[in-house]
Amino acid sequence: MEKYNQMTHEKFGEKDFQKIVGNLLRYGVWISLSVAFIGGIVYLLHHGNDIENYSVFKENDRNIFEVIAAVYNGVIKGGGESIIFFGIVLLFLTPVFRVLLSLFSFLLEKDYLYVVITTIVIGIIIMSISFGFSH
């Protein structure tokens, strides 16, 4: 009987980790969509009657740090466009947090091959964010 209990006993946190990751992805998507929806309502309340001139192209050539600062200031001021963009950023960050949770899990399990692979993935994400928006 003791052997049976040892065999059915899982490693520390495997099921819990899967539940946490599932909840992170589920709630991350719902929260980001809710934020973007609220931003859309705020935007429509302030700019619902505006007519956009699509014949003029406005190029936005800023680096990521300027964009983040502008979004932060816009969210603090309650700008609908910034709140929508913040919701999109949250949606983007949801799988990034999943990768970070995986790294933490692999460190706890002492699975160093996957720690290295996950660290490489995190490095690729950081490089693509840093260099993808700057010219």
Side-chain angles (χ1 to χ4, degrees):
M1 186 69 175
E2 175 123 0
K3 187 175 182 181
Y4 176 76
N5 287 336
Q6 288 176 349
M7 289 174 54
T8 59
H9 191 284
E10 294 184 29
K11 288 184 182 178
F12 172 74
E14 281 184 25
K15 285 265 191 209
D16 295 331
F17 176 72
Q18 291 174 4
K19 187 182 245 184
I20 290 170
V21 167
N23 286 335
L24 171 74
L25 295 173
R26 183 178 303 112
Y27 294 128
V29 168
W30 278 109
I31 289 170
S32 63
L33 291 177
S34 299
V35 169
F37 183 75
I38 291 169
I41 291 172
V42 170
Y43 182 81
L44 287 176
L45 287 174
H46 293 109
H47 302 282
N49 294 326
D50 292 355
I51 297 174
E52 189 64 37
N53 184 6
Y54 291 110
S55 64
V56 179
F57 177 72
K58 300 172 192 169
E59 185 175 357
N60 188 355
D61 193 22
R62 299 183 293 177
N63 68 24
I64 187 66
F65 303 110
E66 292 172 351
V67 171
I68 290 172
V71 168
Y72 175 76
N73 290 329
V75 169
I76 295 298
K77 293 176 184 173
E81 196 172 339
S82 296
I83 296 172
I84 293 170
F85 194 80
F86 181 64
I88 294 169
V89 169
L90 287 176
L91 185 63
F92 171 76
L93 287 177
T94 300
V96 173
F97 287 138
R98 191 259 187 259
V99 173
L100 291 172
L101 264 175
S102 296
L103 177 65
F104 181 70
S105 170
F106 295 141
L107 282 170
L108 284 177
E109 293 175 2
K110 297 179 181 169
D111 193 348
Y112 297 115
L113 174 64
Y114 284 106
V115 168
V116 170
I117 293 170
T118 307
T119 304
I120 291 170
V121 169
I122 292 170
I124 291 170
I125 291 170
I126 290 172
M127 285 180 45
S128 68
I129 291 171
S130 298
F131 297 123
F133 288 104
S134 60
H135 297 278

